């Protein structure tokens, strides 16, 4: 039987510690050392916090993952984690750490602990996390008889508690007199304090024998490190755990955790179909996709990857929410991560998820987070009740944005329910500091990936690695798309199966659509989904010519009374077309422009206006509307158009864009007679006799020739046999053929081969770049050296890491301000606090800083390239405002200062911003 843990009352045990052990410090004011916290007390604080986190915060699925590593002994798992948290700072019992504060070093010397003369000069060579690893490894092998690998696997938790598992240099294997105190009184104190942590946790000799019989798997070790870090962060908060030299009251940790008030993990009850569909999803007549997915989630024996492929409008989102509830109830999961391609799509689904939570929520609070770089400006998220150290509301059953879980980028996945960009998941596969916290956040959730087709080849390297880890954790994943190329579907299925040690035979071509694909012991199983009864017939033709001819055709279509979408592959092309159309449209035709280079409030306002005009609940208004947009319209908005013009794109993206045509069937009766049939006109290509088409340079630069040639050739073959594209009947076959089997038409062979070779080279380079930064797949070895890429340690904002999971050109984010009569102000056109000064001599007020930070945008990618980018940053830094560095909103950001008319010049380029066009960047030589 295990011995009784000390619990929170450590006063008696402290009396038994030697003077030397009681002299060592863990925290101090780092000035005179007047206020300090003994190391033994911090060990006890961390142990108590870890125990409460295990009991009240961790989902059952995470507890099972750790317990499974110990023969399903949950009590031993808890004792082990409490001990790991208690002992994480054992390395502070070393001369290399203790020497930092002269007054506290003197206390240790007075207690008989020696310091080598050179310790001050070399102390940084042995961080206390590394010292702790060496101390614990030695204790486990010499005292408890563990093998080297088993001891290293446990000691690595201490090594990783500051976010990295850097391998100790080999010369430390024998210890270090100078830095570790090997062979001196320091060794005695180290053994004494580690024994104290074992007593804190209640670990016995028999427990260590059991621990030594098993190599802790990396999945359990990673989440154990994450829990240790959380316990350390909480126990290091001097507001909750003040610096004091006497033992705390027995109830101190309980009081601190009660004040922190972390919501318990969501615990879902298994609903029957009537409760699920009628009450939780508000579906009086669920669609076949929704009932098939629910049946599947009820029947699978263990968590799996489920891929949903179905047309737009078949109810994928509600199906995923219903399936998540069942999976969480069946497998003890404590929440859902809903990941989407962009900030705009995340914002769009956030309200839906919150409404769903209101329907399923019980009596307990749950935590809710919106995770992307502009979440603080989302009004729906800001309306969520906030829980902070100074705010408390006794009303139960709320979805709350907890300050501790939503205030740090590294804890972005830790709330029970998280809506965010897919980056938040992919960052878990990036070698970066504290990556284990992202793993702890997702290990106990259902993960939903919407519009998974949007992940390009570079991003899929990270996605596949995360799928492997999620499978190893026992995390079910629901991935959704209108359709996926078979090779990508197989790639995702294989990655998930890798985490379970399964083989994944390549399946035969299967044109089933709509479909569910579920991983299984045989590789995967395909489940046909009956048609929802919704069908569309899409007419596609081509519109050759320059932007003048496109503008004339768009205006003609609009004059037929329709709401017309024009989708351009580049911002510059969209802006050029917008200028042309504004010169020729009559007053009765509305025209709007939407792309990624609008200030955040301007883009949000435009998107909201489009939802109100073209959303599912919007009534048709008199007068035509033309919306010119870039790819942001593919994913961000649930809006309906009568006709569409689109630049050439890969076939799956064309189909995705076409999903905005006649999207809301209840509006069909009110469509103008000229637009009774959905019609897509493809632009950006020019046919040549007996040769491959000529492609617009911008379209070619964005997507590459190969994907565009394949799309055109596939459509040519299709329309040689059919007059229209019927969805869903033709969709899967078109995508499969374009990506897997289409060949060069006569006369295209040379350009086709060159395009294919170029595409292969690009994919290989993308994969290689991604693999350089990729964490390893789970393996049977200690975490020492795991994911150790010091150069990739996340910067404070996380921006560098986000760039690394997206293969885009380096972009520079700026805050736009104006210079007016010598004052630097929030722009006159801003939505909040327009005209307010932002240049303060002392401190910028918080509300003004937030209003200024709303006016951010990213500059075009080419401006971040080598040479130009460095010069531009240098010029922008000349405009930096010193007091911004003290603001949580503006620290580290670069201001783009525009004049009264919205103009600026940098690095031989002219910058202009206005409400209609957004940011326009033009080389001075072209003005």
């Amino acid at each position: 039987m295990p011995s009784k843990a000390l619990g929170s009352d450590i006063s008696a045990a402290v009396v038994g510690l030697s003077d030397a052990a009681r002299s060592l410090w863990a925290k101090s004011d780092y000035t005179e050392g007047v206020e300090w916290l003994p190391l033994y007390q911090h060990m006890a604080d961390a142990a108590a916090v870890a125990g409460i986190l295990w009991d009240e915060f961790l989902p059952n699925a995470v507890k099972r993952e750790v317990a499974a590593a110990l023969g399903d002994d949950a009590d031993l798992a808890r004792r082990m984690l409490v001990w790991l948290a208690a002992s994480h700072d054992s390395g502070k019992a070393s001369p290399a750490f203790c020497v930092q504060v002269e007054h506290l070093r003197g206390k240790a010397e007075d207690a008989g602990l020696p310091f080598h003369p050179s310790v001050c000069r070399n102390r940084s060579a042995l961080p206390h996390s590394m010292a702790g690893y060496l101390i614990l490894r030695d204790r486990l092998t010499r005292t408890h008889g563990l093998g080297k690998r088993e001891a290293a696997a446990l000691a690595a938790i201490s090594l990783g508690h500051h976010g990295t598992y850097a391998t100790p240099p080999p010369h430390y294997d024998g210890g270090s007199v100078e830095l570790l105190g090997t062979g001196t009184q320091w060794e005695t104190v180290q053994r004494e304090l580690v024994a104290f942590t074992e007593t804190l946790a209640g670990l016995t000799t028999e427990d260590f024998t059991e621990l030594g019989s098993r190599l802790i798997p990396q999945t359990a070790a990673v989440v154990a490190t994450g829990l240790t870090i959380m316990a350390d962060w909480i126990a290091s908060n001097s507001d909750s755990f003040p610096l004091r030299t006497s033992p705390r009251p027995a109830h101190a940790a309980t009081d601190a955790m009660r004040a922190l008030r972390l919501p318990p993990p969501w615990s879902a009850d298994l609903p029957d179909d009537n409760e699920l569909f009628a009450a939780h999803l508000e579906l009086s007549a669920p669609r076949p996709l929704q009932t098939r997915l629910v049946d599947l989630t009820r029947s699978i024996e263990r968590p799996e990857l489920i891929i949903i492929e179905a047309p737009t409008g078949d109810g994928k989102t509600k199906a995923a929410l219903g399936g998540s509830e069942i999976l969480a109830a069946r497998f003890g999961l404590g929440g859902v991560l809903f990941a989407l391609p962009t900030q705009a799509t995340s914002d769009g689904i956030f309200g839906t998820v919150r409404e769903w939570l209101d329907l399923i929520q019980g009596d307990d609070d749950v935590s809710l987070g919106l995770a992307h770089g502009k979440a603080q400006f989302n009004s729906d998220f800001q309306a969520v009740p906030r829980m902070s150290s100074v705010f408390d509301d006794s009303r139960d059953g709320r979805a709350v944005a907890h300050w501790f879980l939503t205030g740090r980028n590294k804890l972005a996945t830790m709330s029970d329910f998280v809506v965010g960009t897919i980056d938040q998941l992919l960052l878990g596969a990036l070698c970066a500091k504290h990556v284990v916290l992202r793993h702890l956040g997702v290990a106990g959730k259902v993960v939903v990936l919407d519009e998974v087709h949007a992940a390009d080849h570079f991003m899929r390297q990270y996605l596949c690695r995360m799928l492997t880890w999620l499978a190893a954790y026992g995390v079910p994943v629901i991935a959704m798309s209108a359709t996926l190329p078979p090779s990508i579907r197989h790639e995702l299925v294989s990655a998930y199966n890798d985490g379970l040690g399964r083989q994944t035979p390549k399946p035969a071509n299967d044109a089933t659509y709509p479909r569910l694909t579920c991983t299984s012991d045989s590789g995967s199983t395909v489940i046909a989904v009956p048609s929802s009864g919704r069908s569309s017939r899409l007419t596609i033709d081509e519109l050759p010519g320059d932007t003048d001819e496109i503008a004339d055709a768009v205006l003609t279509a609009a004059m037929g009374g329709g709401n017309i979408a024009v989708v351009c592959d580049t911002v510059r092309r969209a802006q050029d077309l917008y200028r042309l159309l504004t010169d020729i449209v009559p007053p009765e035709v509305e025209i709007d422009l939407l792309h990624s280079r609008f200030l955040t409030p301007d883009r949000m306002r435009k998107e909201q206006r489009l939802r109100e005009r073209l959303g599912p609940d919007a009534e048709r208004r008199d007068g035509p509307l033309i919306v010119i947009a870039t790819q942001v319209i593919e994913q961000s908005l649930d809006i309906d158009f009568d006709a569409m013009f689109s630049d050439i794109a890969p076939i799956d993206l064309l189909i995705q864009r076409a999903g905005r045509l006649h999207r809301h069937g209840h509006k069909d009766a009110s469509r103008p007679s000229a637009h009774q049939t959905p019609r897509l006109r493809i632009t950006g290509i020019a046919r040549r006799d007996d040769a491959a088409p000529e492609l617009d340079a911008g379209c070619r630069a964005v997507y590459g020739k190969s994907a565009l040639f394949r799309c055109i050739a596939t459509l040519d073959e299709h329309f040689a046999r059919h007059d229209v594209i019927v969805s869903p009947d033709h969709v899967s076959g078109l995508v499969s053929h374009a990506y897997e089997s289409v060949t060069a038409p006569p006369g295209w062979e040379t350009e086709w081969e060159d395009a294919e070779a170029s595409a292969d080279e690009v994919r290989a380079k993308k994969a290689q770049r991604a693999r350089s930064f990729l964490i390893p797949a789970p393996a049977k070895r200690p975490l020492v050296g795991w994911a150790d890429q010091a150069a990739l340690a996340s910067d404070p904002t996380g921006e560098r890491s986000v760039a690394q999971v997206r293969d885009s050109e380096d972009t520079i984010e700026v805050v736009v301000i104006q210079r007016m009569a010598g004052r630097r102000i929030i722009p006159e056109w801003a939505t909040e606090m327009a005209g307010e000064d932002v240049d303060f001599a002392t401190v910028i007020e918080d509300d003004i800083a937030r209003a200024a930070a709303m006016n951010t945008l990213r500059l075009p990618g080419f401006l971040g390239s080598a040479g130009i980018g460095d010069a531009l940053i240098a010029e922008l830094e000349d405009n930096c405002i010193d007091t911004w560095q003290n603001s949580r909103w503006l620290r580290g950001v670069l201001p783009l200062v525009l004049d009264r008319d919205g103009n600026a010049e940098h690095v031989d380029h002219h910058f202009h911003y206005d409400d209609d066009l957004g940011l326009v960047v033009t080389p001075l030589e072209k003005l």
Side-chain angles (χ1 to χ4, degrees), residues 234 283 341 366 415 418 429 478 519 786 796-797 861:
I234 294 170
L283 295 171
V366 294
S415 296
V418 180
I478 299 174
T519 52
W786 181 81
T797 65

Side-chain angles (χ1 to χ4, degrees), residues 356-368:
W356 172 64
L357 285 179
D358 289 340
L359 296 171
I360 68 170
Q361 180 59 6
D363 295 332
D364 293 325
D365 286 349
V366 294
S367 51
L368 172 64

Side-chain angles (χ1 to χ4, degrees), residues 389-405:
S389 55
V390 295
F391 175 84
D392 192 359
D393 186 335
S394 60
R395 184 168 61 84
D396 291 329
R398 304 167 301 162
V400 298
H402 195 284
W403 70 274
F404 183 79
L405 303 179

